[in-house]
Amino acid sequence: MFRGSYLAAASLLLSTASSAEVPHVVFILADDYGWNDVGYHQNTVNSANPSGEVTTNGYIPTPNIDKICEEGVKLENYYVQPLCSPTRGTIMTGRYASHTGIGPSVIMEEQPYGMPGSEVFLPELLKDVGYSTHMVGKWHLGFCDERYTPTFRGFDSYLGYLIGAEDYYTHSRQYGSFATALDFRNGSGTTLAPILSDQMGNYSANVFVDEAVRLIEAHADKKDTTPFFLYLPFQSVHSPLQAPKDAIDHFEPIIPHTTGGGRQRQVKAGMVKVFDEGVGNVTAALQRVGMFDDTVIIFTTDNGGYIPDSGNNYPLRGQKTTNWEGGVRGSSCVRGTKSNLAPLPKNTTTMELMHTTDWLPTIVKGLGGGNT
């Protein structure tokens, strides 16, 4: 049984979505993204900072994320799980971690389990109502059996990595006593996506954006009337702290070494910069091919920022891994369509309570007209 109070915007979406047509949906998920690391929360009045106090002395602009949120509804009373796998599980199933068994911790590389096969995933439900479904990015919901992986859980195609963290350039990880191994895959159909080895040296955010743009353009080129769903969980801005040198150097005059965190905070800022630019490239692709006006764009983080990795959740207490607000209160917004398929009021904020379990019924029933 799903909770009935899903997303304040859902009631609007339910009342405005056409019964004959449904919108495209692009779901953008940031990783370990702090409350105070998104532009529209820094040094401004918001639900956690009602007096508008200065919250950072090294402002990190996110113009593309901010623009999406300004064109839609900001969710200012929105909650997530405090870690990666549990949050992703709630998004994909609409069920709490205590019900699925994915949590309270994450799935580690050596652990032989995943989201139970009895759980029905969001893309499976969307396929039932006619959507094409694609995933690009981090999975982290099990891989010890190929049946746990994305193309067996409702996605038509998948490019990304299955574990929780890896090098942004080599797409590999050494864990414990295990040898360094490549985890980067690209495939479609109900088979295990094969290893993708030709992206060595390419920064993951750029690879993911290129694939997202390719999928958008391919959908448009086919003149396909099928509604399009893209789940885009970036690696950014999870550790390891890595970003292109020019993105890091951009923040040298903004976040000097004397600032708390020094060079490490500059690297984190560079990661945010590349991530935000990637979001902008995805929205630009939607505009270029004529899909933008009929697309609902969802932006959310999976959990709070991690302070040892220069994440910033101020003024919220705590961080990723904790149940304090800094770990479980997330930044999120929804931009409705410009067409009459699923419009939302622009530049608005809601304080209605929402949790990541609410995404599945909101998208499937509120947008796709399906059953949950």
Side-chain angles (χ1 to χ4, degrees):
M1 178 73 72
F2 294 107
R3 299 189 303 131
S5 60
Y6 50 89
L7 180 58
S11 60
L12 294 169
L13 293 170
L14 279 164
S15 63
T16 58
S18 166
S19 59
E21 297 179 82
V22 294
H24 308 301
V25 180
V26 174
F27 192 112
I28 299 169
L29 179 64
D31 200 341
D32 289 7
Y33 198 30
W35 176 271
N36 199 36
D37 284 331
V38 64
Y40 68 81
H41 276 160
Q42 296 173 53
N43 303 335
T44 61
V45 173
N46 59 67
S47 60
N49 184 23
S51 60
E53 296 178 6
V54 173
T55 55
T56 179
N57 58 1
Y59 176 71
I60 304 174
T62 55
N64 295 293
I65 295 170
D66 291 1
K67 189 171 189 295
I68 290 172
C69 296
E70 287 165 4
E71 293 180 352
V73 180
K74 294 174 186 172
L75 312 177
E76 288 290 289
N77 194 21
Y78 169 71
Y79 286 84
V80 299
Q81 299 297 116
L83 281 167
C84 306
S85 297
T87 290
R88 290 156 205 272
T90 59
I91 292 169
M92 286 291 107
T93 67
R95 282 163 51 79
Y96 291 114
S98 56
H99 292 165
T100 64
I102 304 301
S105 189
V106 300
I107 301 174
M108 301 303 293
E109 285 81 347
E110 80 282 10
Q111 294 176 325
Y113 76 101
M115 182 64 73
S118 57
E119 298 293 342
V120 180
F121 273 44
L122 170 60
E124 295 179 276
L125 294 169
L126 287 176
K127 285 175 73 69
D128 287 345
V129 293
Y131 277 80
S132 64
T133 57
H134 306 275
M135 176 180 172
V136 180
K138 171 178 169 178
W139 180 236
H140 213 189
L141 286 174
F143 63 94
C144 65
D145 185 306
E146 65 180 12
R147 291 171 294 180
Y148 286 135
T149 62
T151 50
F152 287 84
R153 307 309 294 259
F155 288 105
D156 294 326
S157 71
Y158 170 64
L159 185 151
Y161 63 107
L162 299 173
I163 60 175
E166 61 182 17
D167 190 280
Y168 278 74
Y169 289 98
T170 67
H171 315 300
S172 61
R173 183 179 186 184
Q174 191 277 327
Y175 178 76
S177 60
F178 295 94
T180 300
L182 174 68
D183 180 21
F184 218 54
R185 297 178 176 273
N186 184 16
S188 58
T190 51
T191 59
L192 178 64
I195 285 290
L196 178 64
S197 58
D198 64 357
Q199 295 296 329
M200 183 74 70
N202 293 327
Y203 192 68
S204 70
N206 295 332
V207 177
F208 295 156
V209 168
D210 286 349
E211 175 65 4
V213 170
R214 186 195 70 79
L215 288 166
I216 290 166
E217 292 177 341
H219 188 85
D221 286 346
K222 290 188 297 184
K223 301 190 185 314
D224 195 342
T225 58
T226 302
F228 175 83
F229 174 70
L230 173 62
Y231 174 50
L232 184 55
F234 279 83
Q235 182 173 3
S236 310
V237 292
H238 195 289
S239 62
L241 298 185
Q242 295 175 300
K245 185 176 184 302
D246 61 339
I248 300 170
D249 291 345
H250 173 83
F251 289 94
E252 179 69 35
I254 303 169
I255 306 175
H257 287 181
T258 54
T259 301
R263 184 66 171 175
Q264 180 170 291
R265 182 62 179 169
Q266 290 178 358
V267 177
K268 174 69 80 171
M271 297 170 77
V272 171
K273 183 177 188 294
V274 177
F275 166 54
D276 181 74
E277 290 171 349
V279 171
N281 289 336
V282 171
T283 57
L286 291 167
Q287 291 172 322
R288 189 169 57 250
V289 303
M291 292 171 58
F292 188 72
D293 288 357
D294 292 331
T295 299
V296 171
I297 301 175
I298 296 166
F299 165 76
T300 177
T301 183
D302 66 341
N303 46 250
Y306 191 48
I307 295 172
D309 290 337
S310 288
N312 187 346
N313 304 307
Y314 188 81
L316 303 178
R317 179 188 185 188
Q319 62 178 359
K320 168 186 176 176
T321 75
T322 74
N323 287 321
W324 285 315
E325 295 276 285
V328 297
R329 191 169 176 182
S331 300
S332 182
C333 66
V334 185
R335 175 204 170 271
T337 63
K338 284 193 172 182
S339 69
N340 65 357
L341 291 180
L344 287 173
K346 292 184 178 181
N347 201 24
T348 56
T349 296
T350 178
M351 286 300 295
E352 292 293 329
L353 179 64
M354 183 182 173
H355 182 259
T356 47
T357 48
D358 295 320
W359 286 121
L360 184 146
T362 296
I363 294 169
V364 176
K365 188 174 182 181
L367 296 177
N371 294 315
T372 56

